[in-house]
Structures are given as C-alpha cells and as structure tokens.
Amino acid sequence: MRFNKEDILIGFFIIFGISYPFLIAFLIFFEDVKAKKQEIEELRSFYSFLLGLEECKEEKARELSKIMSKNLYEKVGGEKGLLNTCQSYRKAYTSARVEERLIKEGELLVELLKKEKGMTQRLLSLRLYFEGEGEELKIENIEYEKGD
C-alpha cells in the first residue's frame, strides 16, 4: 500500500491538530514547574544565608534584602540586621544540616538538625511565609522556634 504526499501531509496536520492542546498544556505545565523551582531556589538561598549555612557577605545581604517585604526588612533591621543574624547563626550552628518542607502554598518549614551519637536533635525550626512567584517573590514573615 502506497501513500500519496498529500495524504501524508493531511495526516500530519490531523495528528498535529489533535495533539496541539496537549502540547500547549505541557508547555504551560513546564513553565509553571520552572517558576516553582526558581521560587524554591530563591527561598533556599535566603534561609541558607539567614541561618549562616553559607558565607556572610554584605553583597549577598543586599541582594537578599530585595526579596523581603518592607515590614520584614524593618523588623530584621535591614541589610545590617540580616548580616548580623547570618554571622551569629554561623558561629552557633556550624555542623548542622537542613531539612525543608513546603507546608502549604506560601509557607516553608526549615529545620536545622544535628546528629550526635545516633540521635537526631532539632536545633531550630524556621518558618518562612512568602507571596508571589518568580520575580515578584516577597518573604512576608519569619518565625523561629528553638529546638529540643
């Protein structure tokens, strides 16, 4: 059985027409996943700096202060307060590891854990409340809870 070029071309357009909504849905889903991943990376960068898990530099504090809401910025003490918090946690929790969980949309729970002699000890819990996506991400509030 032999197909004409016209039959193949018509078949291609029919298949494309049927699969077009699925392709568009996939592209929209892919963009959404990409935006969520960027959001989580920004949050991870923020709490890593805040908890002193990375080097405390003024440039990084300035960069991260841009994703804080105005109220939180004032509550923390601006870039200087963010830098001071980073330095104090860096000294206090040098050998800790982090676990994070997205509790619900707009709330991330970060736990600072330390494992000693087979026992896992929770040193600190940090809740980040945030709004927006991608470029409009704003961290609205931070709550701390001392560990066991």
Side-chain angles (χ1 to χ4, degrees), residues 39-52:
E39 178 180 281
I40 294 295
E41 287 301 318
E42 284 186 30
L43 290 170
R44 197 172 282 145
S45 176
F46 181 80
Y47 77 69
S48 292
F49 183 82
L50 187 68
L51 296 176

Side-chain angles (χ1 to χ4, degrees), residues 3-12:
F3 294 106
N4 294 340
K5 290 179 184 177
E6 294 85 16
D7 293 338
I8 293 172
L9 189 61
I10 290 171
F12 172 76

Side-chain angles (χ1 to χ4, degrees), residues 14-30:
I14 289 173
I15 290 173
F16 181 72
I18 291 171
S19 63
Y20 181 75
F22 298 109
L23 290 172
I24 297 302
F26 176 74
L27 289 174
I28 291 171
F29 174 75
F30 184 70

